[in-house]
């Protein structure tokens, strides 16, 4: 009986470790060199605060651009497995929103795929630039 209890406790501890690891992938600073855009995310603690607009408080993360001061806020993030998270994003005015998936590809690379709603866009030289429906990111140290 004691062996059975010990095995059961060991199985529960193993499951707990796997549950923690799947979400740990979705923390950090992600950057796309081509479009000079980034995502700052923490889907584990949901405690990211925008440096440009801290009035919105803690959230799962946000999307921004080096060439544009506007930000798109991640209002909801649900990690579905170790490699995929479903997210909801809205612009800083609340007038546009979208749904997307963020996939962890391994080697600190991610793919953001827009699945519905408005298109992500940034302003470059006073003109709107729509982001592609699939955008690749690499995890980096925050700049």
């Amino acid at each position: 009986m004691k062996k059975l209890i010990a095995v059961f406790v060991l199985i529960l501890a193993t499951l707990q470790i796997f549950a923690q690891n799947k979400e740990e992938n979705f923390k950090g600073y992600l950057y796309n060199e081509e479009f000079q855009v980034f995502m700052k995310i923490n889907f584990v603690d949901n405690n990211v605060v925008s440096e440009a607009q801290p009035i919105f408080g803690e959230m799962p993360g946000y999307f921004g651009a080096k060439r544009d001061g506007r930000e798109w806020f991640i209002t909801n993030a649900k990690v579905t497995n170790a490699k995929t998270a479903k997210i909801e994003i809205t612009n800083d005015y609340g007038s546009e929103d979208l749904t997307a998936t963020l996939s962890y590809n391994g080697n600190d690379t991610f793919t953001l795929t827009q699945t519905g709603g408005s298109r992500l866009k940034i302003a470059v030289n006073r003109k709107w630039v729509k982001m592609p429906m699939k955008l690749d990111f690499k995890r980096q140290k925050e700049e």
Side-chain angles (χ1 to χ4, degrees):
M1 185 67 168
K2 290 182 181 179
K3 287 181 183 179
L4 183 62
I5 293 173
V7 169
F8 182 71
V9 169
L10 184 61
I11 290 171
L12 284 178
T14 304
L15 290 175
Q16 181 66 23
I17 289 169
F18 285 124
Q20 290 174 351
N21 287 341
K22 77 175 188 177
E23 293 177 345
E24 291 297 320
N25 290 334
F26 296 99
K27 289 173 83 171
Y29 180 81
L30 314 179
Y31 187 69
N32 176 287
E33 185 73 37
E34 180 181 357
F35 292 98
Q36 298 177 7
V37 294
F38 63 89
M39 293 178 70
K40 187 171 181 181
I41 61 170
N42 186 338
F43 296 171
V44 178
D45 302 316
N46 295 323
N47 64 353
V48 177
V49 176
S50 165
E51 294 170 14
Q53 300 182 37
I55 192 167
F56 290 106
E58 294 183 346
M59 62 188 94
Y62 60 91
F63 174 94
K66 296 221 178 236
R67 301 177 286 174
D68 185 10
R70 295 173 195 81
E71 294 174 342
W72 291 72
F73 301 123
I74 300 171
T75 57
N76 191 17
K78 179 172 173 66
V79 178
T80 57
N81 60 50
K83 296 188 176 196
T84 307
K86 293 184 178 185
I87 58 177
E88 296 174 8
I89 305 173
T90 187
N91 67 354
D92 50 1
Y93 290 106
S95 61
E96 297 183 70
D97 59 1
L98 63 107
T99 56
T101 58
L102 184 64
S103 302
Y104 178 65
N105 306 322
N107 296 329
D108 283 339
T109 62
F110 295 80
T111 301
L112 177 70
T113 306
Q114 297 176 49
T115 57
S118 303
R119 288 279 297 268
L120 276 172
K121 56 189 166 196
I122 60 171
V124 178
N125 296 327
R126 297 182 295 174
K127 293 184 181 179
W128 288 113
V129 176
K130 289 184 179 179
M131 295 291 103
M133 295 297 280
K134 284 190 174 189
L135 201 54
D136 293 322
F137 289 89
K138 179 135 179 85
R139 187 185 336 249
Q140 296 183 344
K141 293 192 182 232
E142 191 170 345
E143 296 179 6

